[in-house]
């Protein structure tokens, strides 16, 4: 993939996620049809799902690294906290991934994420990591559902970083 293609994909995905954050319930097909250059950047929905999953996992692992580098007395809560924080930061991505969680193309990525959650909580490699990871994820979902979420308005102005990034890109 060329740098141009890479940058087009990242810009299209960023725009898709901004729309998904503002408009809960938007489908991946709708996002691909409305975001500038998304259909050219992602020829199939599977291509978009893979980039979406990678974006989610990178943010989740970054959260996990920050939390694990601190002095946590309860390492089993670290992946729950990281998952909840990431889901709050990327609500559109989480909703889209949840809508496609049964997609066979994501099966391997989801299994790796569940194993990552379990190992981060202190599970021993070789144990049933998928089951433990699923329990961690369910706990995180429950905590996220209990927390108040402030929805973004559709007409909300982009933040300073987004405006600077857009100005530089222009």
């Amino acid at each position: 993939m060329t740098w141009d293609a890479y940058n087009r994909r990242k810009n299209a995905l960023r725009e898709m996620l901004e729309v998904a954050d503002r408009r809960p319930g938007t489908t991946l097909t709708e996002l691909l049809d409305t975001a500038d250059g998304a259909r050219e950047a992602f020829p199939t929905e599977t291509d978009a799902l893979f980039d979406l999953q990678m974006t989610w996992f990178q943010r989740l692992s970054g959260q996990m690294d920050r939390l694990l580098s601190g002095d946590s007395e309860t390492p089993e809560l670290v992946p729950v906290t990281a998952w909840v924080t990431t889901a709050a930061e990327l609500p559109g991505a989480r909703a889209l991934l949840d809508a496609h969680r049964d997609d066979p193309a994501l099966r391997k990525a989801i299994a790796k994420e569940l194993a990552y959650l379990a190992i981060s909580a202190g599970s021993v490699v070789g144990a049933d990591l998928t089951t433990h990871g699923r329990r961690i994820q369910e706990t995180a979902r429950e905590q996220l559902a209990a927390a108040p979420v402030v929805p973004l308005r559709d007409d909300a102005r982009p933040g300073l970083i987004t405006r600077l990034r857009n100005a530089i890109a222009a």
Side-chain angles (χ1 to χ4, degrees):
M1 177 184 313
T2 66
W3 277 110
D4 273 351
Y6 172 81
N7 286 323
R8 273 195 309 272
R9 285 177 81 119
K10 290 300 166 196
N11 289 336
L13 184 63
R14 185 179 307 117
E15 185 176 336
M16 289 168 53
L17 289 175
E18 287 173 2
V19 171
D21 287 347
R22 290 190 314 263
R23 295 186 209 149
T26 303
T27 66
L28 186 57
T29 303
E30 291 169 342
L31 289 172
L32 287 169
D33 290 338
T34 58
D36 289 338
R39 282 286 176 195
E40 293 79 29
F42 302 106
T44 67
E45 285 191 11
T46 302
D47 292 331
L49 278 174
F50 285 149
D51 270 23
L52 184 61
Q53 172 64 30
M54 180 57 74
T55 298
W56 165 262
F57 188 78
Q58 286 173 335
R59 183 74 62 95
L60 176 65
S61 63
Q63 286 291 344
M64 199 84 71
D65 287 346
R66 277 189 285 285
L67 292 170
L68 288 172
S69 66
D71 293 332
S72 178
E73 294 178 17
T74 54
E76 61 274 359
L77 292 179
V78 168
V80 172
T81 304
W83 197 96
V84 169
T85 304
T86 305
E89 291 177 356
L90 296 172
R94 187 68 258 160
L96 289 166
L97 289 170
D98 287 347
H100 292 273
R101 86 172 109 204
D102 295 329
D103 190 317
L106 290 179
R107 191 169 291 136
K108 187 175 182 179
I110 290 170
K112 286 184 177 190
E113 179 183 331
L114 294 174
Y116 178 68
L117 291 171
I119 290 170
S120 298
S123 288
V124 178
V125 176
D128 188 2
L129 298 177
T130 303
T131 301
H132 189 203
R134 198 169 314 281
R135 279 196 306 265
I136 291 168
Q137 195 178 64
E138 288 169 8
T139 301
R141 286 180 193 281
E142 290 168 4
Q143 283 189 11
L144 185 63
V149 177
V150 178
L152 295 173
R153 293 187 336 250
D154 192 27
D155 62 341
R157 287 191 59 192
L160 176 64
I161 299 299
T162 301
R163 289 182 293 172
L164 288 172
R165 188 179 307 129
N166 292 340
I168 291 170

